[in-house]
Amino acid sequence: MKEHAVKLAILDMLSDGHFHSGEELGDQLEISRAAVSKHIKGIQAWGVDIFSVQGKGYKLADSMQLLNQQQLQNSVDVPVELIPVIGSTNQYLMDRIGLLQSGSVCIAEYQSQGRGRRGREWVSPFGCNLYLSMYWRLEAGMAGAMGLSLVVGVAIVEALEKIGIEGIKLKWPNDLYFYDKKLAGILVEMSGQAGAAAHLVIGMGMNLKMAASTQGITQPWSCLSDVTESAIDRNQLATTLINTLQTALSEYEIHGMQGFVERWNRLDNYLGREVRLIMGAREVSGISCGINEQGAVLIRTNSGLETYIGGEISLRGM
Ligand code: ATP
């Protein structure tokens, strides 16, 4: 069997939410009970909460709906590759840029090396969130890519609003927030040369229903299950996000950031609030005043209205 195939088969059986004995799982997969127990430990290391009860077997602490390649592919018109266990969906696409059609998507259940900006970790437990990346060839080149992560953020929040999920805001430049807690992160990476088309990989990690006990996240975070009580169909949400990304990127190619500032400012989590900008060892604090047409953040400080832009800046509330 392929790498991880046994663990994925065990998860598939457990995903009905019932108890399954080690013997039953072993018989189905033609492996010993000891091997089942070893694989269960491996699955737990992916961040899945499984408990065992003597005489009954194993059970998932929470129900789990797995992603389905066929269902995803049938609902979008770009190539989708579901790789359940991966290092990083962004890295996977970055490594294959020359081979990909613009719009190609990679989606995963678990990332062992999920990442945020500047090499920070994106904690990516199995089966409870969404981790997806899209490759986009931007004919306008690198200079045309400025502001793209802002456009993507707005498109995603507006798409969630359309399906009845309200109250999600944006934090400059690229995070989705719910009541001051990080719900999702967007990471745009690119390669290309000046004067040529830019190769972009737009990645997103969105928390849907992550265990409160999840370790390793260094700031307050939230999940979509905090935003809505309705059950979330992971396959449906993934296809909504893929279609949204595709539309937003096509529109961005034509219109850039035109008419965009108000849409972003409406969703600004920190508009009118006191914030600080961290730029390496330097910090600036003031009142956040939204963005301008270049995608820079505006801060009212004691010296007046200042604009800041660049990948090395982090914004934090007070
Ligand atoms: P910036 O404002 O510069 O974007 P950031 O610290 O939010 O700063 P990102 O690169 O957007 O950085 O994301 C990485 C950070 O997000 C991690 O350092 C961690 O604090 C947090 N994080 C990691 N995994 C998750 C997750 N699943 N949900 C919410 N937050 C996470």
Side-chain angles (χ1 to χ4, degrees):
M1 271 206 221
K2 265 170 60 188
E3 206 197 350
H4 308 310
V6 175
K7 292 186 185 64
L8 294 173
I10 292 175
L11 273 167
D12 195 35
M13 286 187 253
L14 293 180
S15 67
D16 63 8
H18 299 307
F19 274 105
H20 293 269
S21 69
E23 194 176 358
E24 178 201 338
L25 294 170
D27 283 352
Q28 295 258 356
L29 296 163
E30 299 178 348
I31 57 174
S32 67
R33 276 168 58 182
V36 169
S37 148
K38 205 177 113 218
H39 283 296
I40 293 279
K41 289 199 178 74
I43 296 170
Q44 286 165 330
W46 290 346
V48 181
D49 201 359
I50 299 178
F51 60 91
S52 60
V53 173
Q54 195 111 42
K56 283 179 136 182
Y58 301 102
K59 186 178 183 301
L60 289 177
D62 278 311
S63 61
M64 181 179 284
Q65 180 207 10
L66 295 173
L67 293 169
N68 180 294
Q69 165 83 47
Q70 206 55 53
Q71 210 177 322
L72 293 169
Q73 189 60 81
N74 288 346
S75 315
V76 299
D77 56 13
V78 290
V80 177
E81 205 174 345
L82 167 63
I83 303 177
V85 177
I86 202 168
S88 142
T89 55
N90 258 37
Q91 190 59 48
Y92 183 82
L93 295 183
M94 290 296 283
D95 289 343
R96 283 161 185 77
I97 276 174
L99 309 167
L100 299 170
Q101 175 189 324
S102 197
S104 297
V105 169
C106 172
I107 183 162
E109 296 278 21
Y110 169 77
Q111 297 184 108
S112 58
Q113 289 166 319
R115 61 180 184 233
R117 299 203 303 159
R118 282 167 276 151
R120 281 183 296 237
E121 185 192 3
W122 189 261
V123 174
S124 309
F126 189 99
C128 52
N129 297 330
L130 285 180
Y131 318 111
L132 69 89
S133 300
M134 178 178 278
Y135 164 67
W136 198 263
R137 186 187 151 95
L138 193 66
E139 296 303 331
M142 304 251 213
M146 293 273 288
L148 187 117
S149 70
L150 302 173
V151 171
V152 166
V154 169
I156 289 166
V157 176
E158 288 177 350
L160 292 174
E161 288 178 337
K162 271 193 205 128
I163 56 171
I165 300 176
E166 304 273 352
I168 298 172
K169 302 272 184 166
L170 293 165
K171 187 197 77 159
W172 186 90
N174 56 0
D175 292 323
L176 273 64
Y177 266 52
F178 183 64
Y179 282 103
D180 286 353
K181 294 178 183 165
K182 187 141 144 177
L183 174 87
I186 294 162
L187 176 67
V188 179
E189 296 184 284
M190 60 179 122
S191 80
Q193 285 169 353
H199 301 282
L200 305 176
V201 172
I202 300 101
M204 185 181 29
M206 182 180 287
N207 300 330
L208 304 194
K209 203 177 172 201
M210 187 156 62
S213 57
T214 304
Q215 300 289 310
I217 307 182
T218 49
Q219 51 183 301
W221 56 270
S222 57
C223 288
L224 220 46
S225 58
D226 302 324
V227 186
T228 173
E229 280 175 7
S230 326
I232 297 158
D233 182 314
R234 293 175 76 230
N235 287 292
Q236 241 172 44
L237 182 64
T239 56
T240 301
L241 295 176
I242 293 168
N243 288 326
T244 302
L245 276 177
Q246 195 193 357
T247 311
L249 293 167
S250 308
E251 282 177 3
Y252 182 78
E253 287 209 291
I254 302 167
H255 303 294
M257 295 227 354
Q258 204 185 324
F260 196 75
V261 171
E262 293 80 46
R263 279 164 75 193
W264 200 92
N265 286 346
R266 176 181 74 90
L267 298 169
D268 184 357
N269 190 57
Y270 288 105
L271 192 69
R273 292 170 63 185
E274 204 175 346
V275 296
R276 59 202 172 99
L277 291 186
I278 307 164
M279 295 162 273
R282 192 173 154 225
E283 264 195 44
V284 170
S285 52
I287 304 295
S288 182
C289 298
I291 60 164
N292 67 14
E293 298 78 36
Q294 282 73 49
V297 65
L298 307 178
I299 307 288
R300 185 170 302 286
T301 69
N302 293 336
S303 335
L305 195 62
E306 300 180 1
T307 55
Y308 291 90
I309 193 161
E312 299 299 310
I313 310 174
S314 293
L315 183 147
R316 292 282 179 276
M318 297 292 228

